[in-house]
Each structure stands twice: as C-alpha cells, then as structure tokens.
Amino acid sequence: MSEVILAQNAGFCFGVQRAVNEALKIQKEHNSKIYTLGPLIHNNDVVRFLEENNIFSIELENIHILNSDDVIVIRSHGVSQAVLDVLNEKQLKVLDATCPFVTNIQKKVKKYSKEGYHIVILGDKDHPEVIGINGWCEDKAIITKDGTFEEPIPQKICLVAQTTEKIKNWENTLKNLSSVKEVLAFNTICSATEARQKSTNKISKEADAMIVIGGKNSSNTTKLYQISKQNCISTIHIENAKELPFNFIKNNNIKKIGVTAGASTPDWIIKEVLDIMNTENNNFEDQLSLMNELDKRFAIGDEVQGEILSKTRDSILVSLVGYKADGVIPYTELSAKEDPITFAEKLNTGDSIKAKVIKLQNSDGYVVLSRLEYEREEAFKELEVLFNEGKTFEIIIKEAKEKGLVGDYKGVRVFVPGSQIDIKFTEDKNEYVDKNLEIKLIDFSLKNPVKVVASRRILLEDVKNAEDAKAWESFNLGETVRGEVKRFTSFGAFVEINGIDGLLHLSQISWNHVKNASDVLKEGQIVDVKIIGLDREAKKLSLSIKELQDKPWDNAAAKYPEESIVLGKVVRLNDFGAFVELEPGVDGLVHISKISHNRIEHPSEALKIGQEIKAKILSVDEENKRISLSIKDI
C-alpha cells in the first residue's frame, strides 16, 4: 500500500482564481453569453466548465464576428496596449481580469522603456503573457528562455521575468548579465509559482513516484513536471482523474507517491484524483483536510505564520501555510525599533516569520502583513503606564498636518494637536518633522476609536511658570528695567522683561502726543522702562518710558519768560484758536483774536497744521500748564 503526500502549495493561484471568479461574476451580471480573449486559463476542464456557464473563448482574429457592446474578458495572462486599442475600437465592453502580478510587470516595462532602458524578458517568447508584456515596450524586448543570450546585450537594461519562470533560470540570467554596466532587475516570478516549485522540488525528492496535475499546455504545470522529473524518474503528468493510470497506484514497488498541481488546476480536480486513490484504502484525511484549508480566507488582524520566500528592495515575500494567497511584508512594516533595511538584512530565505494581516489584497494580489503589530501591542502597554503615571517620553515626528503633528512611538501613532505644540502659535509645523519631541499624554484610550493624544505645551508651560514666578518676584515698583518691544496694539505696546509681557500704554510712551506706538517704536527694539504698576496676583505689569524723561512743564516760566519771542509749530486748529508746540509736551494757545490783524472766522484761514510760526509769549501758568501766545503782537 502506497503512502500519498500532497504538496503544501498546489492548485489555483490567486491570479487564476481571481480571473475565473471575475468571469463568472460578470456573466451572472449580464445574464448573457460573454467571451474571453483566448482560453481564460490553460486547463481544458475549467474551459469546459466555463462554457457550461455561457463563457466562451475567442481568438483575436475572430473578434469581427462580435457585436458592439458584447462583453469580452481579458484573461489573467494580460494583453498588449495594441490589443486593448483594437478591442476598444470594436466598441466591445472590455473587462480586464489580468493577474495583478502581470499588470505590475507591464507597468514596469512601459515605464522603464520610456526612460531609455532596453527591456529583457526571461520567459517563453510564444507564451501569451510574454507576448502581452512585450507589447508594452513596442515589441522591442530581448527575450531569453533560460538566461542565455546569442547577441551582445545593451549596457542599460531592465530585466523582468514571466511569472511562471523557474528561479534557477532567473539566477542564471542575472549571472549572464553581470558584465552589463547598468542592470535594473525586478524578480517578477510570482511567489505562488515559486512556492509551488519549492513544494514540488521537496516532495519529489522524497517520493518514489510523482503525479503532476494540470493542463498539458500550462506553462507553470509543465515546469512542475520538469522539476519532478529531475528528482523522480517515475513522474506522470495528467490533466484530470480520468487520465490517472490504474496500474500506477497498484504498483507495489511504489512506497510513497507525491501529488502536486499547477496554478491553473482547480481544487475539485485535485480532490477527484485523491478520491480515486482513496478507494484503494489509503488514508487521505490529512490531504483532504489540507485541500479544505486551501479555501481558508483571511480577516484583518489575523495572526499568520509563514516561510520567507524571497526579499526584494522594499519588501519580504512570505509563503503562508494553508492559504492560497502569499503574503508581503513591506520594509515599512518590519520594525519600529530599528532601521527596517538593517532588520531585513538579518532575515534569510526559509526563515519562519509571524505577522498580522493588515490588508487582504494589494495591487499585486498579495496579502499585506505587518510585523509592527506585535511591537505595537507592547508599545500600547508602555503608553498606558506612561499615561497613568503622568510621565514624559520622546517621540519622533513623522508628519505635519493642518491640525497638528503625527509622531511615532515604537509603531504607535501619537497625535499632537496644533494648540499643544508650543506656548505660542506655531506657524510652520514642518520644522518639527523628523525631530524628536519630548511630550506627555493628555488623552489615551484603547477603545474604538483608539486615542493617543499628547502635548508638548504643558511641559513648556511648567518650565515657563517656574521662570515666570521667579521673574515676578524680582520686579519692584518704581524700578527701571530693560525690555524688548514684542508687539503693538491700538492702545500701546507690549514689552517683554525676563519673559513677562508688560503694557506700555500710548500715554506712557512720550510726553508728546502719540497716535500709534509703531510711529515711535520698532518691534524688537530694546528700551528702558519704569515699572509704574505691579500686580503679582493678577499678573499685570504697567510700564512707562515717559516717566524716565524730564517733565516738560517743570520750570516752564523760567524757560519761556513773558514778552519774549518764541518759534513753534502749529499742531492743532479749532474754532477758538491754534495750538503751537514749543517743545514735546509743551503747547501754547494762540487765541483766534491774536492770530491776525484782519478779522477771520476760523484759524485755518491764516494757519496750517505743521506750519512754523513766531509768537510772543503773553502769559505762563505752570500749575495749569497753559501758555498764551500772540502772533499779531509781534
């Protein structure tokens, strides 16, 4: 009795499954006959199944028989831009089921061919996938089947691979291109293909006989057969259970039989083969259980474990045990504790790694995984302690947004509102990006939605409050201090002294009349002021520059003796006369009757503001601060 083992990775890959599901979905929506451009997949049983569901294959040269608005599905192999143009010109309803992995290759080929790179494709020049890819660089690609080249290679190339290629051929291609000056290499071999090849290689070394299930014209299945045949001479390739040789199972010399299947082989065909073998009293419960596991689906937050398949320039590809889809861990999701690239260098192909599902499918068809989530759980525990104990800690600012700053603490997003960045208004938040910031949590909750809100301002306020308290204690009423003019208001200016803002009222700037503080002072100017008001409890500080200047009315009678002639400037006019400035803070009045020998109705008939005039001092009243002048009496 033979033991039968099923390859860990076998059957439909993501791209094929997606194409079949899309076709069935589209047919159901239109409820009419639809077409696929060429066989949807290289499996005759699946093609017949699709035809039973009113989905038929048609070749490009025959699309003239279709009517406009007929539905045509692009298969997972993809097509060239030129083919898409033809279909659109025919006004067909084109629905693209190209495998996301293939689409990714097409985009790379289009981009880098436009940038001056010569495209090199590793693959079968007659395979529809390769033909389609070549169409995105105007059919100018150099195509190699096994990595060897007959003609000289350009010195600036971009290398891609057919998704179903063997990793051995990829490595051989890179080796043969080692002398090329500039090689931009993208390993576009589908991880699902690579995983199936690895699984097949492993069990074919252990088995006495191998059964490879899949379409005879399927590229990936053919490669599985080639790998099996190299390791196990007794290898057969069948499309379905009907082709399974009865004497193959009955051979008593075969102790262990390995079973694998190409990416275009549906689960039900694999199960039919296992069921036939099961009639010979073999125990296939484990194998059938595994096949059932192949139908498992992911959910966000699931913890998964897999084996590292390969590393790219920006991510790690992971084969997930018991799942059809493979996973990808972007370097940005590897670690917050150390540099991701450095961390990635420590990982090797074949290593086991645990991660959490953060996205069910990216544009390339991979399940996106995160190792950061494990670190984040620990970080949340630490943050909860820091919040409860009111401790400060540092974060690195990753991004400046309209409403504040976004920081990172071991993979956890920490938000600092704009009002909590600084004591004063922050005009340019970008100056904090990529810098460490000491903060304190002001809101923390793990309930949905999670809240991790912090403040830098409260730490600065604590420091400033201590400094302010010390400054207020140092102030004394009546003393002269030095400060900096900080800002202006309609009623004066604020002068900062030892970090405290004091008010310099308009009336305290000069003995002369001041209309706007900015007419006399400049922002940033250092001035000496006298403390004329001090209220520590209300935190009010009143200042004066005028009090440090001589009082202009002191000794006015001596400075301006009666009957003397004085030169002054007209500063104000009203109905009863004109005020003349003799010096800043000292004005004299020329009554309207003392302005001219001619009769005037208003002083403006004889005088103008700003005009310099000579006048005779008639009287001086120091107590009431009045000086009477006459122009007429000169």
Side-chain angles (χ1 to χ4, degrees), residues 279-347:
T279 61
E280 299 299 314
N281 297 318
N282 285 290
N283 183 3
F284 293 113
E285 290 184 6
D286 292 340
Q287 282 83 358
L288 292 174
S289 175
L290 179 58
M291 292 306 302
N292 290 330
E293 283 187 358
L294 289 173
D295 290 330
K296 286 197 294 187
R297 295 293 181 265
F298 294 102
I300 297 297
D302 281 354
E303 291 185 11
V304 294
Q305 182 170 356
E307 180 182 305
I308 295 176
L309 288 172
S310 63
K311 293 189 289 185
T312 68
R313 291 186 300 176
D314 55 12
S315 61
I316 291 176
L317 300 181
V318 181
S319 172
L320 301 175
V321 178
Y323 292 87
K324 281 191 172 181
D326 293 318
V328 60
I329 306 178
Y331 282 177
T332 52
E333 292 294 330
L334 272 178
S335 177
K337 295 180 180 179
E338 61 180 295
D339 178 69
I341 295 177
T342 303
F343 185 84
E345 288 174 352
K346 299 176 183 178
L347 301 174

Coordinates of all heavy atoms in Angstrom, one line a residue, residues 279-347:
T279 N -10.0 5.1 -2.8 CA -10.7 3.9 -2.9 C -9.8 2.7 -2.7 O -10.3 1.6 -2.5 CB -11.4 3.8 -4.3 OG1 -10.4 3.8 -5.3 CG2 -12.3 4.9 -4.6
E280 N -8.6 2.9 -2.8 CA -7.6 1.8 -2.5 C -7.2 1.7 -1.0 O -6.2 1.2 -0.7 CB -6.4 2.0 -3.4 CG -6.6 2.0 -4.9 CD -7.3 0.7 -5.3 OE1 -6.7 -0.3 -4.9 OE2 -8.2 0.7 -6.1
N281 N -8.1 2.2 -0.2 CA -8.0 2.2 1.3 C -6.8 2.9 1.8 O -6.3 2.7 2.9 CB -7.8 0.7 1.7 CG -9.1 -0.1 1.4 OD1 -10.2 0.4 1.6 ND2 -8.9 -1.3 1.0
N282 N -6.3 3.9 1.0 CA -5.3 4.8 1.6 C -6.0 5.8 2.5 O -7.2 6.2 2.3 CB -4.6 5.6 0.4 CG -3.6 4.7 -0.3 OD1 -2.6 4.3 0.2 ND2 -4.0 4.3 -1.6
N283 N -5.3 6.3 3.5 CA -5.8 7.3 4.4 C -5.4 8.7 3.9 O -4.3 9.1 4.0 CB -5.2 7.0 5.8 CG -5.8 8.0 6.8 OD1 -6.7 8.8 6.5 ND2 -5.4 7.9 8.0
F284 N -6.4 9.4 3.3 CA -6.1 10.7 2.8 C -6.8 11.8 3.6 O -7.0 12.9 3.1 CB -6.6 10.8 1.3 CG -5.8 9.9 0.4 CD1 -6.4 8.9 -0.2 CD2 -4.4 10.2 0.2 CE1 -5.7 8.1 -1.1 CE2 -3.7 9.4 -0.7 CZ -4.3 8.3 -1.3
E285 N -7.2 11.5 4.8 CA -7.9 12.5 5.6 C -7.0 13.8 5.8 O -7.5 14.9 5.7 CB -8.2 11.9 7.0 CG -9.3 10.9 6.9 CD -9.7 10.4 8.3 OE1 -9.2 11.0 9.3 OE2 -10.5 9.5 8.4
D286 N -5.7 13.6 6.0 CA -4.9 14.8 6.2 C -4.8 15.6 4.9 O -4.8 16.8 4.9 CB -3.5 14.3 6.6 CG -3.5 13.8 8.0 OD1 -4.4 14.1 8.8 OD2 -2.5 13.0 8.4
Q287 N -4.6 14.8 3.7 CA -4.5 15.5 2.5 C -5.8 16.3 2.1 O -5.8 17.4 1.7 CB -4.2 14.5 1.3 CG -2.8 14.1 1.3 CD -2.5 13.0 2.3 OE1 -3.4 12.5 3.0 NE2 -1.3 12.5 2.3
L288 N -6.9 15.6 2.3 CA -8.2 16.3 2.0 C -8.4 17.4 3.0 O -9.0 18.5 2.6 CB -9.3 15.2 2.2 CG -9.3 14.1 1.1 CD1 -10.4 13.1 1.4 CD2 -9.5 14.7 -0.3
S289 N -8.0 17.3 4.2 CA -8.1 18.4 5.2 C -7.3 19.6 4.7 O -7.8 20.7 4.8 CB -7.6 17.9 6.5 OG -7.6 19.0 7.5
L290 N -6.1 19.3 4.2 CA -5.3 20.4 3.7 C -5.9 21.1 2.5 O -5.9 22.3 2.4 CB -3.9 19.8 3.3 CG -2.9 20.8 2.7 CD1 -2.7 21.9 3.7 CD2 -1.6 20.1 2.4
M291 N -6.6 20.2 1.6 CA -7.2 20.9 0.5 C -8.3 21.8 0.9 O -8.6 22.8 0.3 CB -7.8 19.8 -0.4 CG -6.8 18.9 -1.2 SD -5.6 20.0 -2.1 CE -6.7 20.8 -3.2
N292 N -9.0 21.4 2.0 CA -10.1 22.2 2.5 C -9.5 23.5 3.1 O -10.1 24.6 3.0 CB -10.9 21.5 3.6 CG -11.7 20.4 3.1 OD1 -12.2 20.5 1.9 ND2 -12.0 19.4 3.9
E293 N -8.3 23.4 3.7 CA -7.6 24.5 4.2 C -7.2 25.5 3.1 O -7.1 26.7 3.4 CB -6.3 24.1 5.0 CG -6.6 23.6 6.4 CD -5.3 23.3 7.2 OE1 -4.3 23.6 6.6 OE2 -5.4 22.9 8.3
L294 N -7.1 25.0 1.9 CA -6.7 25.9 0.8 C -7.8 26.9 0.5 O -7.6 27.9 -0.2 CB -6.4 25.1 -0.4 CG -5.1 24.3 -0.4 CD1 -5.0 23.4 -1.6 CD2 -3.9 25.2 -0.3
D295 N -9.0 26.6 1.1 CA -10.1 27.5 0.8 C -10.2 28.6 2.0 O -11.2 29.4 2.0 CB -11.4 26.8 0.8 CG -11.5 25.9 -0.5 OD1 -10.9 26.4 -1.5 OD2 -12.1 24.9 -0.5
K296 N -9.3 28.6 2.9 CA -9.4 29.5 4.0 C -9.2 30.9 3.5 O -8.5 31.2 2.6 CB -8.3 29.2 5.1 CG -8.6 28.0 5.9 CD -7.7 28.0 7.2 CE -6.3 27.8 6.9 NZ -5.5 27.6 8.1
R297 N -9.9 31.8 4.2 CA -9.8 33.2 3.9 C -9.2 34.0 5.1 O -9.3 33.6 6.2 CB -11.2 33.8 3.5 CG -11.8 33.2 2.2 CD -11.0 33.6 1.0 NE -11.6 33.0 -0.2 CZ -11.2 31.8 -0.7 NH1 -10.2 31.1 -0.2 NH2 -11.7 31.4 -1.8
F298 N -8.7 35.2 4.7 CA -8.1 36.0 5.8 C -9.1 37.0 6.3 O -10.1 37.3 5.7 CB -6.9 36.8 5.2 CG -5.8 35.9 4.8 CD1 -5.5 35.6 3.4 CD2 -4.9 35.4 5.7 CE1 -4.5 34.9 3.0 CE2 -3.8 34.6 5.3 CZ -3.6 34.4 4.0
A299 N -8.8 37.5 7.5 CA -9.5 38.6 8.1 C -8.5 39.5 8.6 O -7.4 39.1 9.1 CB -10.5 38.1 9.2
I300 N -8.8 40.8 8.6 CA -7.9 41.8 9.1 C -7.6 41.5 10.6 O -8.5 41.3 11.4 CB -8.5 43.2 9.0 CG1 -8.7 43.6 7.5 CG2 -7.6 44.2 9.7 CD1 -7.5 43.6 6.7
G301 N -6.3 41.5 11.0 CA -5.9 41.3 12.3 C -5.5 39.8 12.6 O -5.0 39.5 13.7
D302 N -5.8 38.9 11.6 CA -5.4 37.5 11.8 C -3.9 37.4 12.0 O -3.1 38.1 11.4 CB -5.8 36.7 10.6 CG -7.2 36.3 10.5 OD1 -7.9 36.6 11.5 OD2 -7.7 35.7 9.5
E303 N -3.5 36.5 12.9 CA -2.1 36.2 13.1 C -1.7 35.0 12.2 O -2.4 34.0 12.2 CB -1.8 35.9 14.6 CG -1.9 37.1 15.5 CD -1.4 36.7 16.9 OE1 -0.9 35.7 17.1 OE2 -1.7 37.6 17.8
V304 N -0.7 35.2 11.4 CA -0.3 34.1 10.5 C 1.2 33.8 10.6 O 1.9 34.7 11.1 CB -0.6 34.5 9.0 CG1 -2.1 34.6 8.8 CG2 0.0 35.8 8.6
Q305 N 1.5 32.7 10.2 CA 3.0 32.3 10.2 C 3.3 31.7 8.9 O 2.5 31.0 8.2 CB 3.2 31.2 11.3 CG 4.7 30.8 11.4 CD 5.0 30.0 12.6 OE1 4.1 29.8 13.4 NE2 6.2 29.6 12.8
G306 N 4.5 32.1 8.4 CA 4.9 31.6 7.1 C 6.4 31.6 6.9 O 7.1 31.9 7.9
E307 N 6.8 31.1 5.7 CA 8.2 31.0 5.4 C 8.6 32.0 4.4 O 7.9 32.3 3.5 CB 8.4 29.6 4.9 CG 9.9 29.3 4.5 CD 10.0 27.9 3.9 OE1 9.6 26.9 4.5 OE2 10.5 27.8 2.8
I308 N 9.8 32.7 4.7 CA 10.2 33.7 3.8 C 10.7 33.1 2.5 O 11.5 32.2 2.4 CB 11.4 34.5 4.4 CG1 10.9 35.2 5.7 CG2 12.0 35.5 3.4 CD1 12.1 35.9 6.4
L309 N 10.0 33.6 1.4 CA 10.3 33.1 0.0 C 11.5 33.8 -0.6 O 12.4 33.3 -1.2 CB 9.1 33.2 -0.9 CG 7.9 32.2 -0.6 CD1 6.7 32.6 -1.4 CD2 8.3 30.8 -0.9
S310 N 11.4 35.2 -0.5 CA 12.4 36.0 -1.1 C 12.4 37.4 -0.5 O 11.4 37.8 0.2 CB 12.3 36.0 -2.6 OG 11.0 36.6 -2.9
K311 N 13.4 38.2 -0.8 CA 13.5 39.6 -0.4 C 13.7 40.4 -1.6 O 14.5 40.1 -2.4 CB 14.6 39.8 0.6 CG 14.4 39.1 2.0 CD 15.4 39.5 3.0 CE 16.8 39.0 2.7 NZ 17.8 39.3 3.7
T312 N 12.9 41.5 -1.7 CA 13.1 42.5 -2.7 C 13.7 43.7 -2.2 O 14.1 43.8 -1.0 CB 11.7 42.8 -3.4 OG1 10.9 43.6 -2.5 CG2 11.0 41.6 -3.8
R313 N 13.7 44.8 -3.0 CA 14.3 46.0 -2.5 C 13.5 46.7 -1.4 O 14.0 47.5 -0.7 CB 14.6 47.0 -3.6 CG 15.6 46.5 -4.6 CD 15.9 47.6 -5.7 NE 14.7 47.9 -6.4 CZ 14.7 48.8 -7.4 NH1 15.8 49.6 -7.6 NH2 13.6 49.1 -8.0
D314 N 12.2 46.4 -1.4 CA 11.4 47.1 -0.4 C 10.4 46.2 0.4 O 9.6 46.7 1.1 CB 10.6 48.2 -1.2 CG 9.8 47.6 -2.3 OD1 9.6 46.4 -2.4 OD2 9.2 48.4 -3.1
S315 N 10.5 44.9 0.2 CA 9.6 44.0 0.9 C 10.1 42.6 1.0 O 11.1 42.2 0.4 CB 8.2 44.0 0.2 OG 8.3 43.5 -1.1
I316 N 9.4 41.8 1.9 CA 9.7 40.4 2.0 C 8.5 39.6 1.6 O 7.3 39.9 2.0 CB 10.0 40.1 3.5 CG1 11.4 40.8 3.9 CG2 10.1 38.6 3.8 CD1 11.7 40.6 5.3
L317 N 8.7 38.6 0.8 CA 7.6 37.7 0.3 C 7.5 36.5 1.2 O 8.6 35.9 1.5 CB 7.8 37.3 -1.1 CG 7.9 38.5 -2.2 CD1 8.1 37.9 -3.6 CD2 6.6 39.3 -2.1
V318 N 6.3 36.2 1.6 CA 6.1 35.1 2.6 C 5.1 34.1 2.1 O 4.0 34.4 1.6 CB 5.6 35.7 3.9 CG1 5.4 34.5 5.0 CG2 6.6 36.7 4.5
S319 N 5.5 32.8 2.1 CA 4.6 31.7 1.8 C 3.8 31.4 3.0 O 4.4 31.1 4.1 CB 5.4 30.5 1.3 OG 4.5 29.4 1.2
L320 N 2.5 31.4 2.9 CA 1.6 31.2 4.1 C 1.1 29.8 4.1 O 0.4 29.4 3.2 CB 0.5 32.3 4.1 CG 0.9 33.7 4.1 CD1 -0.2 34.6 4.0 CD2 1.8 34.0 5.4
V321 N 1.3 29.1 5.2 CA 0.9 27.7 5.3 C -0.6 27.6 5.3 O -1.3 28.3 6.1 CB 1.5 27.1 6.6 CG1 1.0 25.7 6.8 CG2 3.0 27.2 6.6
G322 N -1.2 26.8 4.4 CA -2.6 26.5 4.4 C -3.4 27.6 3.7 O -4.7 27.5 3.8
Y323 N -2.8 28.5 3.0 CA -3.6 29.6 2.3 C -3.1 29.6 0.9 O -2.0 29.3 0.5 CB -3.3 30.9 2.9 CG -3.9 31.1 4.3 CD1 -3.1 30.7 5.4 CD2 -5.1 31.6 4.5 CE1 -3.6 30.9 6.7 CE2 -5.6 31.8 5.8 CZ -4.9 31.4 6.9 OH -5.4 31.6 8.2
K324 N -4.1 30.0 0.0 CA -3.7 30.1 -1.4 C -2.9 31.3 -1.7 O -2.0 31.3 -2.5 CB -5.0 30.2 -2.2 CG -5.7 28.9 -2.4 CD -6.8 29.0 -3.4 CE -7.3 27.6 -3.8 NZ -8.4 27.7 -4.8
A325 N -3.2 32.4 -1.1 CA -2.5 33.7 -1.3 C -1.2 33.7 -0.5 O -1.1 33.1 0.5 CB -3.4 34.9 -0.9
D326 N -0.2 34.4 -1.1 CA 1.0 34.6 -0.4 C 1.0 36.0 0.2 O 0.2 36.8 -0.2 CB 2.2 34.5 -1.4 CG 2.4 33.0 -1.8 OD1 2.2 32.1 -1.0 OD2 2.6 32.8 -3.0
G327 N 1.9 36.2 1.1 CA 1.9 37.5 1.8 C 3.1 38.3 1.5 O 4.2 37.8 1.0
V328 N 3.0 39.6 1.7 CA 4.2 40.5 1.6 C 4.2 41.4 2.8 O 3.2 41.9 3.3 CB 4.0 41.4 0.3 CG1 2.7 42.2 0.3 CG2 5.2 42.2 0.1
I329 N 5.5 41.5 3.3 CA 5.7 42.4 4.4 C 6.6 43.6 3.9 O 7.7 43.4 3.7 CB 6.4 41.7 5.6 CG1 5.7 40.5 6.0 CG2 6.6 42.7 6.8 CD1 6.4 39.7 7.2
P330 N 6.0 44.8 3.7 CA 6.8 45.9 3.3 C 7.8 46.2 4.4 O 7.6 46.0 5.6 CB 5.8 47.0 3.2 CG 4.4 46.4 3.1 CD 4.6 45.1 3.9
Y331 N 9.0 46.7 4.0 CA 10.0 47.1 4.9 C 9.5 48.0 6.0 O 9.9 48.0 7.1 CB 11.2 47.6 4.2 CG 12.1 46.6 3.6 CD1 13.2 47.0 2.8 CD2 11.9 45.2 3.7 CE1 14.0 46.0 2.2 CE2 12.6 44.3 3.1 CZ 13.7 44.7 2.4 OH 14.5 43.8 1.8
T332 N 8.5 48.9 5.6 CA 8.0 49.9 6.5 C 7.2 49.2 7.6 O 6.8 49.9 8.6 CB 7.1 50.9 5.7 OG1 6.1 50.2 5.0 CG2 7.9 51.7 4.8
E333 N 6.8 47.9 7.4 CA 6.0 47.2 8.4 C 6.9 46.2 9.2 O 6.3 45.3 9.9 CB 4.8 46.5 7.8 CG 3.8 47.4 7.2 CD 3.1 48.2 8.3 OE1 3.0 47.7 9.4 OE2 2.7 49.4 8.1
L334 N 8.2 46.2 9.0 CA 9.0 45.3 9.7 C 9.3 45.6 11.2 O 9.2 44.7 12.0 CB 10.4 45.1 9.0 CG 10.4 44.1 7.8 CD1 11.8 44.2 7.1 CD2 10.1 42.7 8.3
S335 N 9.8 46.8 11.4 CA 10.1 47.1 12.8 C 10.2 48.6 13.0 O 10.5 49.4 12.1 CB 11.5 46.5 13.1 OG 11.9 46.9 14.4
A336 N 9.8 49.0 14.2 CA 9.9 50.5 14.5 C 11.1 50.7 15.5 O 11.4 51.8 15.8 CB 8.6 50.9 15.2
K337 N 11.6 49.6 16.0 CA 12.7 49.7 17.0 C 14.1 49.8 16.3 O 15.0 50.3 17.0 CB 12.7 48.4 17.9 CG 11.4 48.3 18.7 CD 11.5 47.0 19.5 CE 10.2 46.9 20.4 NZ 10.2 45.6 21.2
E338 N 14.2 49.4 15.1 CA 15.5 49.6 14.4 C 15.2 49.8 12.9 O 14.1 49.6 12.4 CB 16.4 48.4 14.6 CG 15.8 47.0 14.1 CD 16.8 45.9 14.3 OE1 17.9 45.9 13.7 OE2 16.5 45.0 15.1
D339 N 16.3 50.2 12.2 CA 16.1 50.5 10.8 C 15.6 49.3 10.1 O 16.2 48.2 10.2 CB 17.5 50.9 10.2 CG 17.4 51.2 8.8 OD1 16.8 52.2 8.4 OD2 18.0 50.4 8.0
P340 N 14.5 49.4 9.3 CA 13.9 48.3 8.6 C 14.9 47.5 7.7 O 14.9 46.3 7.6 CB 12.8 48.9 7.8 CG 12.4 50.2 8.5 CD 13.7 50.7 9.1
I341 N 15.7 48.3 6.9 CA 16.6 47.7 6.0 C 17.7 46.8 6.7 O 18.0 45.7 6.4 CB 17.3 48.7 5.1 CG1 16.2 49.4 4.2 CG2 18.4 48.1 4.2 CD1 16.8 50.5 3.4
T342 N 18.2 47.4 7.8 CA 19.1 46.6 8.7 C 18.5 45.4 9.2 O 19.1 44.3 9.3 CB 19.6 47.5 9.8 OG1 20.2 48.7 9.3 CG2 20.7 46.8 10.7
F343 N 17.2 45.5 9.7 CA 16.5 44.4 10.2 C 16.3 43.3 9.1 O 16.4 42.1 9.4 CB 15.1 44.8 10.8 CG 14.4 43.7 11.5 CD1 14.6 43.4 12.8 CD2 13.4 43.0 10.8 CE1 13.9 42.4 13.4 CE2 12.7 42.0 11.4 CZ 12.9 41.7 12.7
A344 N 15.9 43.8 7.9 CA 15.7 42.8 6.8 C 16.9 42.0 6.4 O 16.8 40.9 6.0 CB 15.2 43.6 5.6
E345 N 18.1 42.7 6.6 CA 19.3 42.0 6.2 C 19.6 40.8 7.2 O 20.3 39.9 6.8 CB 20.5 43.0 6.3 CG 20.5 44.0 5.2 CD 21.6 45.1 5.4 OE1 22.2 45.1 6.4 OE2 21.8 45.9 4.4
K346 N 19.0 40.8 8.3 CA 19.2 39.7 9.3 C 18.3 38.5 8.9 O 18.6 37.4 9.5 CB 18.9 40.2 10.7 CG 19.7 41.3 11.2 CD 19.3 41.8 12.6 CE 20.1 43.0 13.1 NZ 19.6 43.5 14.4
L347 N 17.3 38.7 8.1 CA 16.4 37.7 7.8 C 16.9 36.9 6.5 O 17.5 37.5 5.6 CB 15.0 38.2 7.5 CG 14.3 39.0 8.6 CD1 13.0 39.7 8.2 CD2 14.1 38.1 9.8

